[in-house]
């Protein structure tokens, strides 16, 4: 299939350059399937009110989306809602933030998730973000998550401890390159002694 040229950019946007985390330098942006571009960002864990710092994960991709739209690209923006299965910290006993919030408030995890998802959506609008094209919720995709973990297990990319199954970064050499870390130098978290 012949390469599709990028769309005609808006005036002043002849070349978009972005910081490439893996290469640690600014690179010319090239869409994988022009004129389509996909952006994914992690959304909130909806167990409590969000704060301004939580909005950074929405404002930065929103700005990128607007620049890409102005450059003539067809952008699909996806951000997720973590409404189940988020541990409090690496060093805890496997407590889930949603379940802890529910237990302390006398409400269900679903009620808490609904309240703080709406608060987050309102806050996104207040800071001027465009609406996401897709807004998947973790609780609605548990079978897919299980299938993905099983596939990773089958490929030898996981390890299991008492509180769950985790991705083994040592089986993915490009992780260290991308993260800019030396895996041999890393200290283990509280999950693995």
């Amino acid at each position: 299939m012949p390469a599709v040229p990028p769309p005609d950019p808006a005036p002043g946007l002849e070349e978009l350059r972005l910081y490439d985390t893996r290469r640690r330098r600014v690179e010319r942006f090239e869409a994988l399937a022009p004129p389509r571009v996909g952006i994914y960002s992690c959304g909130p864990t909806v167990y409590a009110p969000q704060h301004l710092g939580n909005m950074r994960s929405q404002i930065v991709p929103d700005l990128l989306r607007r620049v890409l739209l102005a450059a003539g690209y067809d952008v699909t923006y996806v951000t997720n809602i973590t409404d189940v299965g988020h541990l409090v910290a690496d060093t805890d006993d496997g407590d889930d933030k949603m379940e802890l919030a529910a237990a302390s408030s006398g409400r269900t995890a679903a009620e808490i998730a609904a309240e703080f998802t709406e608060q987050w959506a309102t806050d996104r609008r207040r800071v001027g973000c465009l609406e996401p094209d897709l807004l998947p919720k973790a609780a609605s995709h548990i079978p897919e998550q299980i299938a993905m973990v099983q596939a990773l297990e089958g490929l030898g990319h996981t390890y299991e401890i008492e509180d769950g199954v985790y991705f083994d970064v040592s089986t993915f050499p490009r992780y260290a390159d991308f993260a800019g870390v030396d895996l041999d130098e890393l200290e283990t978290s509280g999950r693995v002694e």
Side-chain angles (χ1 to χ4, degrees):
M1 182 162 127
V4 177
D8 290 334
L13 291 175
E14 288 77 22
E15 181 176 79
L16 176 60
R17 297 174 61 79
L18 299 171
Y19 184 76
D20 182 326
T21 303
R22 185 175 62 83
R23 292 185 178 97
R24 306 281 191 271
R25 64 180 182 248
V26 175
E27 298 275 344
R28 182 178 182 275
F29 172 76
E30 293 184 34
L32 296 176
R36 295 189 321 266
V37 174
I39 299 174
Y40 172 85
S41 68
C42 289
T45 302
V46 288
Y47 67 96
Q50 303 297 297
H51 53 74
L52 186 57
N54 297 124
M55 288 290 109
R56 181 193 182 282
S57 71
Q58 300 305 297
I59 293 170
V60 172
D62 185 73
L63 177 60
L64 175 60
R65 178 186 190 186
R66 291 169 190 261
V67 168
L68 291 168
L69 288 169
Y73 289 98
D74 176 17
V75 181
T76 300
Y77 174 60
V78 179
T79 189
N80 71 300
I81 302 288
T82 302
D83 57 350
V84 66
H86 196 294
L87 299 181
V88 174
D90 286 349
T91 58
D92 67 14
D93 293 323
D95 296 322
D96 180 288
K97 289 181 179 183
M98 298 300 302
E99 294 299 329
L100 287 175
S104 68
S105 70
R107 298 184 297 158
T108 68
E111 290 169 334
I112 290 169
E115 175 187 348
F116 293 118
T117 297
E118 181 54 38
Q119 182 251 323
W120 169 82
T122 299
D123 288 347
R124 283 187 90 258
R125 288 188 289 273
R126 286 180 177 157
V127 297
C129 291
L130 300 172
E131 293 298 316
D133 295 304
L134 296 168
L135 196 59
K137 295 180 178 179
S140 300
H141 296 277
I142 291 173
E144 295 95 326
Q145 294 172 50
I146 291 170
M148 181 180 65
V149 170
Q150 289 172 334
L152 290 170
E153 282 178 316
L155 295 169
H157 292 298
T158 62
Y159 62 92
E160 187 172 348
I161 56 175
E162 188 176 315
D163 68 346
V165 178
Y166 294 90
F167 183 74
D168 183 354
V169 298
S170 70
T171 68
F172 186 60
R174 290 188 319 179
Y175 172 84
D177 181 40
F178 181 77
V181 298
D182 179 348
L183 292 179
D184 295 330
E185 301 277 324
L186 285 180
E187 291 184 32
T188 61
S189 71
R191 290 190 185 125
V192 181
E193 294 181 14

